[in-house]
Amino acid sequence: MTDEPKTEAADNGAEKDAKQADKPLPADDLKTTQHTLGDLAYTATTGRIVLHEEITEDDKFNGRKPKAEVSITWYTLDDADVTERPVTFAFNGGPGSSSIWLHMGLLGPRRVDSGDAGNLTPPPFGLLDNEETLLRHTDLVFIDPVSTGYSRAVEGEKAKDYHGFSKDIESISELIRLWTTRNNRWLSPKFLIGESYGGTRGAGIAEYLQSRFGMALNGVMFIAPAFNTETLYHASRSELPDPLFLPTYAATAHYHGLHPDRTLEDVVAEARAYGDEFRGILAKGQNLEPEVRAAAVAKIASLTGVSEDYVDRANLRLEHTRFYAELLRHKRLITGRLDTRFTGPADHYTHERMPYDPFLVGTDGPYSAALQYYVRTELEYENDHVYERLSRAVHPWSYKEFEGEAVDVIGKLGNVMRLNPFLQVHIAMGRYDGGVPIEAIEYTLDHLEIPLADRERIETKTYPAGHMMYVHEESRVQQSADLADFIRRSTNRG
């Protein structure tokens, strides 16, 4: 009698295995269409590519197993010489962000009609030709990491495996390798462009592509890159964030009319100059002399536009989400975080922290509508999954590689620059970026361990807008020209 249950279980297992064997494997799901934009004739391909992983069990190679279906859109110029034509791989950050923002806001051949701070486009929004598209200078490949966009783990696999620093880098790098191989682009000039956490990701991918696959890039473009979280997170109690955020606070106060008799340049210069002294003051903690503390309270209040009482109660540390709730409290407004030019109302004005980001709320609707319409009608791709613009499903994001320390990838950027002496780096920064301030980026770059002469391979550009500086029309046009110029100078094709 003891044998019967085992036999039944074995039969059930065999039946299950047979059903699994009969089930078709996930396959690439792609749609290709032809388009023109003025004198540009190009091919667009969008959909999902199945990502496989090599499986080894008990020291035996068990082949490549499908693990995820990754959402991707690419544009290639028709009849181009692929050994001359550059290709750029683009992704945003989050973690949890799809590539919708770079795709529909800056780089792609079609762009969203979103408006800007104080002049947002009302629903139902719209689409515009992007005459400044980077497609004029490079083919473009937009990648949505697993659990963003239409990307999902395949049935039976865990998406959580991809929700972390290393696996994210490895999976996107593998997709880049796969796309490059299938499309015979190994001899094309190759670039990356990443925004925000896309800077964290981009530095890691550049190093991984070089060390794992021998894929040397021509250039990496970073937009508002988050390189070192110690410079960005006030909760660390580090002396770094507060002085580095001070110029952004001062610029924001100026933008909103709290420095009526001064220029922006003057206010920012004063805040920057005070940074080292401020850092030393914070380092003293409770040993700070009362008169020095009182002078610091007055100085910080005068720069940032909040009251001395508030600075005093905050113990000199104006944590950023609190500051954006406080600055315009007297006007019954909060400011944006990712773009502090934006403002919005709150349900009440006793919030300690900003209850939402007016910038994200103001831009999410236009971008979402534009992409959903564009993909189905112009790119002719149909998928009933929710397109995850900013997915919360990726959290908690794993940083196990940095346990007990700040997430800092500047060493990876330095390493790939040492490995590849031809790699060029472009960094875009927004004066009103309240999430990744200019000074935080500059501080991190100053600690990049490369020969001083190689600093010439890094260029920085500053724009009078925020984290996604391209929502500001003048900045978008200028940034498009700056990126095009960087691509031209870095291709090594004459």
Side-chain angles (χ1 to χ4, degrees), residues 78-397:
D78 292 348
D79 301 321
D81 181 349
V82 295
T83 65
E84 297 289 329
R85 176 75 172 167
V87 58
T88 297
F89 300 93
F91 36 80
N92 278 78
S97 176
S98 67
S99 62
I100 185 174
W101 320 103
L102 286 176
H103 187 178
M104 303 304 296
L106 178 63
L107 304 178
R110 296 278 274 160
R111 64 182 180 88
V112 63
D113 179 9
S114 66
D116 191 14
N119 187 32
L120 291 171
T121 302
F125 317 114
L127 271 171
L128 304 168
D129 283 339
N130 184 7
E131 298 295 344
E132 294 79 24
T133 176
L134 203 61
L135 182 58
R136 295 190 181 278
H137 310 280
T138 173
D139 291 342
L140 297 168
V141 182
F142 295 95
I143 300 170
D144 296 329
V146 175
S147 297
T148 76
Y150 293 124
S151 297
R152 302 291 189 273
V154 300
E155 185 176 339
E157 296 293 336
K158 294 180 179 179
K160 184 179 179 181
D161 293 344
Y162 294 91
H163 300 165
F165 176 79
S166 291
K167 192 69 170 181
D168 175 70
I169 287 171
E170 292 169 9
S171 60
I172 297 176
S173 296
E174 168 60 12
L175 189 68
I176 291 172
R177 181 201 68 82
L178 190 64
W179 188 94
T180 302
T181 301
R182 288 181 177 178
N183 290 276
N184 298 317
R185 302 302 294 266
W186 276 88
L187 291 183
S188 299
K190 290 177 285 296
F191 296 84
L192 303 179
I193 183 166
E195 179 177 290
S196 193
Y197 182 84
T200 314
R201 173 182 287 141
I205 289 175
E207 182 190 50
Y208 190 86
L209 290 173
Q210 175 89 36
S211 58
R212 176 68 179 89
F213 305 129
M215 183 181 290
L217 301 171
N218 289 71
V220 183
M221 296 163 279
F222 297 108
I223 298 178
F227 287 137
N228 178 2
T229 59
E230 187 183 359
T231 66
L232 304 177
Y233 294 162
H234 296 74
S236 67
R237 303 304 296 173
S238 166
E239 271 70 58
L240 291 182
D242 294 278
L244 296 175
F245 273 75
L246 196 60
T248 297
Y249 297 159
T252 302
H254 182 276
Y255 182 87
H256 292 292
L258 301 180
H259 291 294
D261 301 322
R262 302 182 65 182
T263 66
L264 172 65
E265 293 73 20
D266 181 45
V267 171
V268 170
E270 183 181 354
R272 288 171 64 100
Y274 185 61
D276 288 340
E277 181 181 349
F278 187 20
R279 191 171 296 116
I281 287 171
L282 292 175
K284 288 190 174 183
Q286 291 188 334
N287 292 320
L288 186 62
E289 301 85 348
E291 63 276 11
V292 176
R293 188 181 188 282
V297 166
K299 180 75 166 182
I300 294 167
S302 70
L303 285 169
T304 62
V306 297
S307 70
E308 291 188 18
D309 178 63
Y310 183 80
V311 176
D312 181 45
R313 286 185 286 116
N315 200 22
L316 307 181
R317 294 178 180 268
L318 304 184
E319 192 279 328
H320 66 321
T321 62
R322 292 185 174 97
F323 176 79
Y324 307 140
E326 178 66 21
L327 180 66
L328 299 180
R329 197 184 297 272
H330 63 288
K331 293 185 178 181
R332 304 213 167 192
L333 293 170
I334 60 173
T335 77
R337 171 178 172 265
L338 293 182
D339 193 325
T340 62
R341 297 175 304 132
F342 283 68
T343 62
D347 53 341
H348 60 80
Y349 296 91
T350 59
H351 285 289
E352 179 186 4
R353 299 174 185 269
M354 56 191 300
Y356 69 99
D357 188 335
F359 169 76
L360 283 179
V361 171
T363 55
D364 186 32
Y367 276 79
S368 299
L371 183 127
Q372 296 281 1
Y373 177 86
Y374 173 63
V375 167
R376 280 188 173 252
T377 62
E378 298 187 20
L379 301 188
E380 301 177 13
Y381 176 73
E382 296 184 2
N383 190 316
D384 287 338
H385 283 310
V386 172
Y387 186 88
E388 297 290 353
R389 312 165 319 284
L390 289 167
S391 174
R392 296 184 179 275
V394 306
H395 298 290
W397 190 258

Side-chain angles (χ1 to χ4, degrees), residues 365-436:
Y367 276 79
S368 299
L371 183 127
Q372 296 281 1
Y373 177 86
Y374 173 63
V375 167
R376 280 188 173 252
T377 62
E378 298 187 20
L379 301 188
E380 301 177 13
Y381 176 73
E382 296 184 2
N383 190 316
D384 287 338
H385 283 310
V386 172
Y387 186 88
E388 297 290 353
R389 312 165 319 284
L390 289 167
S391 174
R392 296 184 179 275
V394 306
H395 298 290
W397 190 258
S398 173
Y399 293 108
K400 62 183 180 181
E401 300 82 1
F402 300 93
E403 187 173 355
E405 60 186 49
V407 178
D408 185 355
V409 297
I410 201 65
K412 292 184 176 296
L413 180 59
N415 188 41
V416 74
M417 290 187 71
R418 293 189 297 271
L419 294 175
N420 178 0
F422 303 102
L423 181 71
Q424 304 294 315
V425 178
H426 171 96
I427 298 174
M429 307 178 292
R431 182 64 276 170
Y432 300 104
D433 185 349
V436 184

